């Protein structure tokens, strides 16, 4: 029979150790969050997970500044060594060209021709960087970023989180075909993205709040397919105002105005390459979203 080994010893997540070291050095959760470009609640959760893993308190939260417990004092040196060894191993295992990967996530409608060219120019300038760009729903991208699956993301959300590097306004509106000159009768035909999409949820919520009956006339996986369906007159949809110009569509004033969202940028690191990439993204978003006044803030915070 094969021998099965069961290991009960804790495995230290480097992100948890990084949060622990940051709090120990800064003397407070707030200062540590600022250093790591995170939020105080996230740092508290990470410390809680580490303490739960060990089964003992590492920090004395009753003191100001926060101090290490005896167990924390024993762990801090090992935590620094583990993090140093991780950095050393990462450098050693890098390929001979010194390349590394930057994983980027952004909504589908931001992946325009200009954005593609921006990524291409960045890749030519930073040949040691390998870009891995993925498009998807903002909720999925945000969740994956928080799980460490992306290095940089731009997501749409009702409001920017505390650790956003910067944000841009994203005005939304009800959109219909230009040939639509009558009011939509009930039930209202809706053109939507798949379940989980922010625009879909906003649209259905507003329709139901108005007490109107509705049905899904078309569901598309891309902005182009949704706009084509609206253009053809299949139904009405909630979409970013900045995306409709090339299509035969117009804003629909039959329904209540749609609250705007924001485009928020997040990044784990603050090195030169990441800062340069954020600047590229900022310039493109500011131009295409008509928010040029935000670009400088975006680059500066990066």
């Amino acid at each position: 029979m094969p021998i099965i080994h069961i290991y009960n010893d804790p495995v230290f997540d480097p992100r948890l150790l990084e949060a622990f070291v940051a709090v120990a050095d800064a003397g407070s959760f707030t200062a540590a969050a600022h250093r790591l470009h995170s939020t105080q609640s996230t740092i508290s959760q990470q410390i809680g997970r580490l303490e739960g893993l060990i089964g003992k308190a590492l920090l004395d939260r009753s003191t100001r500044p926060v101090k290490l417990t005896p167990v924390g004092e024993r762990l801090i040196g090992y935590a620094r060594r583990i993090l140093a060894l991780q950095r050393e191993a990462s450098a050693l295992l890098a390929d001979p060209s010194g390349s590394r990967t930057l994983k980027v996530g952004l909504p589908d409608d931001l992946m325009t021709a200009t954005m593609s060219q921006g990524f291409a120019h960045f890749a030519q300038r930073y040949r040691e960087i390998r870009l891995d760009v993925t498009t998807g729903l903002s909720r999925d991208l945000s969740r994956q970023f928080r799980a460490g699956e992306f290095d940089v993301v731009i997501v749409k959300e009702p409001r920017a989180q505390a650790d956003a590097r910067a944000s841009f306004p994203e005005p939304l509106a009800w959109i219909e075909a230009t040939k639509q000159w009558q009011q939509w009768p009930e039930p209202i035909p809706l053109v939507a993205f798949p379940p989980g999409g922010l625009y879909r949820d906003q649209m259905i919520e507003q329709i139901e709040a108005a007490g109107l009956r509705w049905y899904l006339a078309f569901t598309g996986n891309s902005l182009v397919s949704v706009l084509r369906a609206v253009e053809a007159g299949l139904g009405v949809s909630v979409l970013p105002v900045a995306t409709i110009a090339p299509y035969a569509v117009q804003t629909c004033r039959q329904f209540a105005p749609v609250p705007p969202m924001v485009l928020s940028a997040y990044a784990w690191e603050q090195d030169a390459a990441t800062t340069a990439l954020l600047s590229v993204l900022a310039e493109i978003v500011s131009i295409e979203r008509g928010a040029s006044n935000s670009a400088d803030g975006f680059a500066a915070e990066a």
Side-chain angles (χ1 to χ4, degrees):
M1 290 182 62
I3 299 175
I4 300 176
H5 296 280
I6 300 177
Y7 298 97
N8 295 319
D9 293 333
V11 178
F12 296 105
D13 183 334
R15 291 198 185 278
L16 304 186
L17 293 178
E18 187 176 42
F20 170 56
V21 171
V23 174
D25 289 344
S28 78
F29 286 78
T30 302
H34 180 73
R35 289 187 182 184
L36 297 180
H37 302 285
S38 183
T39 63
Q40 182 176 340
S41 61
T42 298
I43 298 298
S44 296
Q45 291 172 10
Q46 290 174 325
I47 297 299
R49 287 172 55 194
L50 183 60
E51 290 177 329
L53 187 67
I54 297 172
K56 297 178 181 179
L58 298 173
L59 297 167
D60 184 358
R61 294 165 173 79
S62 65
T63 63
R64 293 293 181 276
V66 174
K67 294 183 178 179
L68 296 170
T69 64
V71 175
E73 290 177 348
R74 290 199 295 270
L75 178 62
I76 191 68
Y78 290 101
R80 297 188 196 281
R81 288 166 57 187
I82 290 171
L83 293 174
L85 285 171
Q86 184 195 33
R87 291 190 293 268
E88 182 180 338
S90 296
L92 182 64
L93 296 175
D95 63 44
S97 64
S99 66
R100 67 184 180 96
T101 300
L102 269 179
K103 295 184 177 181
V104 184
L106 70 165
D108 177 72
D109 61 282
L110 288 188
M111 197 59 190
T112 60
T114 304
M115 184 67 76
S116 298
Q117 292 170 3
F119 281 126
H121 291 158
F122 174 86
Q124 292 172 3
R125 178 182 175 188
Y126 292 88
R127 295 189 177 276
E128 75 279 10
I129 303 293
R130 294 176 181 173
L131 284 177
D132 182 352
V133 183
T134 301
T135 62
L137 296 176
S138 288
R139 283 172 174 160
D140 295 336
L141 296 173
S142 182
R143 175 182 52 78
Q144 291 174 284
F145 173 75
R146 297 300 176 187
E149 297 177 29
F150 286 111
D151 300 299
V152 176
V153 293
I154 298 180
V155 297
K156 300 185 181 188
E157 51 193 358
R159 64 191 63 82
Q161 303 302 306
D163 59 334
R165 296 295 182 90
S167 62
F168 296 89
E170 179 74 310
L172 304 178
W174 289 93
I175 306 299
E176 63 184 5
T178 52
K179 61 184 179 182
Q180 180 70 26
W181 54 273
Q182 293 181 331
Q183 286 199 338
W184 293 94
E186 292 188 64
I188 309 296
L190 301 182
V191 176
F193 288 93
L198 293 171
Y199 307 148
R200 176 191 178 113
D201 291 350
Q202 181 69 34
M203 177 169 54
I204 294 175
E205 180 181 330
Q206 285 199 223
I207 284 286
E208 292 186 343
L212 300 174
R213 292 179 294 113
W214 59 274
Y215 70 95
L216 287 173
F218 180 87
T219 300
N221 286 311
S222 69
L223 178 67
V224 172
S225 64
V226 168
L227 276 165
R228 289 298 186 194
V230 172
E231 187 179 49
L234 288 179
V236 64
S237 187
V238 167
L239 294 169
V241 176
T243 65
I244 67 174
Y247 299 87
V249 297
Q250 64 186 5
T251 56
C252 173
R253 305 190 183 281
Q254 179 177 341
F255 310 105
V258 186
M261 291 188 181
V262 295
L263 283 165
S264 303
Y266 298 90
W268 286 115
E269 303 298 335
Q270 200 172 7
D271 57 274
T274 304
T275 299
L277 179 59
L278 286 171
S279 297
V280 170
L281 300 180
E283 182 177 1
I284 295 171
V285 171
S286 65
I287 293 173
E288 297 195 337
R289 281 333 197 232
S292 58
N293 290 336
S294 300
D296 292 339
F298 190 111
E301 292 185 37

